[in-house]
Amino acid sequence: MSFAESLGDAGRKRGRRYAYIATLTGCVSEVMLDSSAIIILYMAMLGGGDMLQMLVNCFSGLSTMLLMIPCVCLIARIGLKNAVHYACLTGCSGFLLMACAPWFGRFSIFAAVAGCMLYCLQRALYGAAWYPLLDAFLRPEDRGKFFGLMRFMYVSISGVLFFLVGLAMGKEPPQWLMQLVIAVAGVALLGRSFCVSRFPEDTAAVRETPHFRRALGISVRNGPLTAYAVYVCLLTVAMTSLVPLSYIYLKNYVNMAAGTVQMISTAGLCGSVTGFFFYGFLLKRLGMKKLELLVHFSFMIAAFLLFAVSKNAPGFGIFVTVMLFVICFTNSLFMCNNSGELLSLARPGNKAMATAFIQTYGSLGGFVGRTAASLVLGATMLAPVWKLGDLEISRYQSIFLVCGCMALVTLVLVPTLPAVVPKHRDYYEPMR
């Protein structure tokens, strides 16, 4: 009997309830930094430009990619819950420093950037500890519904919250209001620390955590885990730029009004929410194997269609809206699949390293994909327009074509996925 099974229904339900609350209290700062305009506006108030925000986002991805596996060594020393506690304190300190930045006078912008970077540093430590903590109270049959509902709540509540914050800010918000919003987001991280401290924890699994090199060796020698990590990395490279590139394509080449692009972008949010909401149902009906194939082919077909359909085609606006809905819906399924497989492939006693190993590859894929697309566009390496028969192809469509082709090539790795060939010598406990 696993530790999760020994908890009983009440213990597992209590763990899931605290996990939902921990996610909601922690998502405020994450969404504010990654997806909200608040930080950009705040930087502008302090005299910074867009370049600073881009550098902060790049640093976030780099720190996660480079520090995730080393953080496992720290977790082995201080424990999973302590790791989350210190991560939350660090993240809170970073946001509070950012909120206090105007008080540093002419060094205010540097204080704000330092606060952002301090917050980014803790994300690797928190990410390495989160999934092993969840595994203590999530049975394989609980994972699909849990991850779908958790992310549905995450996206829905954060979307409503930041919409209300936007209304309160108005056209030109006062600086003190921006400081207050950022400070509250930082303090909310302490709620995550409190909730995680109430998680049921398998102390036997913590004691079994091996030496760093041994743990990494166990993960590297696990064929299905390594194959899945490489697959996630390559598919992430192929698909990570589709949504932001679509917005740039519509604004700069199709010449849509900013308001129209914003309206179309709501289709992406609807797609994300819908995907998370229906994930548990789709997993039950299709199973992991068919769901992973559905995700892969949906990404690939969407990329090829964005390449092939001209801006002059009838109903182009409706077409792009549908494509963004499909891509974001598919991305929601992909994220939940990835979360479930993280736990399914992590051998008992090696949970932290195995989950960090896969997350590192995912972060690498996201960093390479976004950076490559940015460099190609920024360096004007592609012709602005070229002809394919009667079609006029923009450089944005060229990148869509490359993304589709990369997803097509990545299909060769599908037969190595554990969900496709679940019976093997290495550890694999799939979601049900």
Side-chain angles (χ1 to χ4, degrees):
M1 178 184 293
S2 68
F3 180 78
E5 291 171 334
S6 69
L7 290 175
D9 291 338
R12 290 191 295 269
K13 184 177 181 180
R14 179 174 178 269
R16 293 195 299 270
R17 182 170 61 249
Y18 276 118
Y20 292 139
I21 301 173
T23 301
L24 295 177
T25 54
C27 79
V28 180
S29 55
E30 291 177 356
V31 174
M32 185 178 291
L33 186 63
D34 295 339
S35 306
S36 169
I38 291 176
I39 299 299
I40 296 176
L41 295 173
Y42 188 63
M43 291 286 188
M45 282 184 176
L46 298 178
D50 293 341
M51 181 180 176
L52 286 174
Q53 177 63 19
M54 292 299 295
L55 287 174
V56 168
N57 284 337
C58 180
F59 183 77
S60 179
L62 273 175
S63 64
T64 303
M65 179 179 66
L66 297 176
L67 298 178
M68 183 73 76
I69 290 179
C71 280
V72 176
C73 184
L74 178 59
I75 289 173
R77 293 178 178 273
I78 65 176
L80 294 168
K81 289 186 177 181
N82 282 334
V84 173
H85 176 67
Y86 292 132
C88 291
L89 285 178
T90 303
C92 177
S93 300
F95 259 62
L96 291 178
L97 174 60
M98 188 161 40
C100 296
W103 302 339
F104 286 80
R106 61 193 180 96
F107 298 105
S108 60
I109 188 63
F110 299 105
V113 172
C116 284
M117 291 185 172
L118 184 62
Y119 174 82
C120 292
L121 281 175
Q122 59 85 30
R123 299 181 80 165
L125 182 60
Y126 168 74
W130 176 245
Y131 287 101
L133 283 166
L134 294 181
D135 190 62
F137 55 85
L138 286 181
R139 299 173 301 175
E141 58 265 35
D142 299 329
R143 294 171 189 166
K145 182 179 179 181
F146 171 81
F147 286 121
L149 180 57
M150 180 188 74
R151 289 198 167 98
F152 170 76
M153 296 169 62
Y154 180 112
V155 173
S156 302
I157 294 178
S158 62
V160 171
L161 179 62
F162 281 101
F163 175 76
L164 295 176
V165 169
L167 291 179
M169 287 169 56
K171 187 175 180 180
E172 293 187 12
Q175 190 177 81
W176 67 264
L177 179 59
M178 303 290 281
Q179 291 177 269
L180 178 63
V181 170
I182 293 171
V184 170
V187 173
L189 277 168
L190 301 181
R192 169 185 279 176
S193 177
F194 173 81
C195 292
V196 169
S197 69
R198 286 350 188 229
F199 282 11
E201 186 175 17
D202 185 358
T203 54
V206 174
R207 287 196 300 271
E208 292 173 3
T209 302
H211 187 271
F212 176 80
R213 290 184 180 178
R214 183 186 167 202
L216 182 59
I218 292 172
S219 297
V220 171
R221 289 191 296 271
N222 186 330
L225 185 145
T226 304
Y228 183 75
V230 173
Y231 171 80
V232 166
C233 177
L234 295 179
L235 187 58
T236 303
V237 171
M239 65 84 181
T240 191
S241 299
L242 291 181
V243 172
L245 185 63
S246 296
Y247 297 146
I248 299 173
Y249 168 56
L250 295 177
K251 184 68 174 65
N252 295 345
Y253 181 72
V254 182
N255 293 320
M256 281 188 177
T260 304
V261 175
Q262 176 61 30
M263 289 176 63
I264 290 177
S265 72
T266 59
L269 177 61
C270 292
S272 296
V273 172
T274 305
F276 291 137
F277 183 79
F278 285 104
Y279 178 75
F281 170 78
L282 291 174
L283 180 64
K284 292 286 186 182
R285 293 296 298 270
L286 300 178
M288 180 58 72
K289 176 181 176 180
K290 292 181 180 178
L291 204 52
E292 286 188 333
L293 292 173
L294 173 65
V295 165
H296 196 122
F297 280 102
S298 295
F299 277 138
M300 184 174 67
I301 293 171
F304 282 136
L305 286 175
L306 286 170
F307 158 74
V309 177
S310 169
K311 67 176 182 178
N312 298 318
F316 177 77
I318 296 175
F319 161 75
V320 173
T321 302
V322 172
M323 285 298 98
L324 284 169
F325 179 91
V326 170
I327 293 170
C328 291
F329 178 89
T330 304
N331 189 55
S332 296
L333 302 184
F334 177 67
M335 291 173 65
C336 292
N337 283 348
N338 190 31
S339 295
E341 293 293 76
L342 281 173
L343 297 180
S344 298
L345 288 162
R347 187 185 299 276
N350 197 47
K351 299 285 185 180
M353 177 58 74
T355 55
F357 186 83
I358 296 177
Q359 289 181 86
T360 297
Y361 272 80
S363 298
L364 174 63
F367 176 77
V368 170
R370 288 189 296 267
T371 303
S374 299
L375 289 177
V376 168
L377 291 176
T380 62
M381 298 170 65
L382 298 174
V385 176
W386 56 281
K387 288 285 188 177
L388 180 63
D390 295 332
L391 288 176
E392 182 181 271
I393 308 297
S394 68
R395 57 179 179 161
Y396 306 103
Q397 291 168 277
S398 300
I399 299 178
F400 290 138
L401 176 61
V402 172
C403 292
C405 290
M406 187 166 184
L408 179 62
V409 172
T410 307
L411 277 174
V412 301
L413 294 178
V414 167
T416 68
L417 297 180
V420 177
V421 186
K423 294 183 179 179
H424 42 66
R425 291 178 299 175
D426 292 295
Y427 181 84
Y428 182 58
E429 188 180 20
M431 292 193 296
R432 297 189 290 272

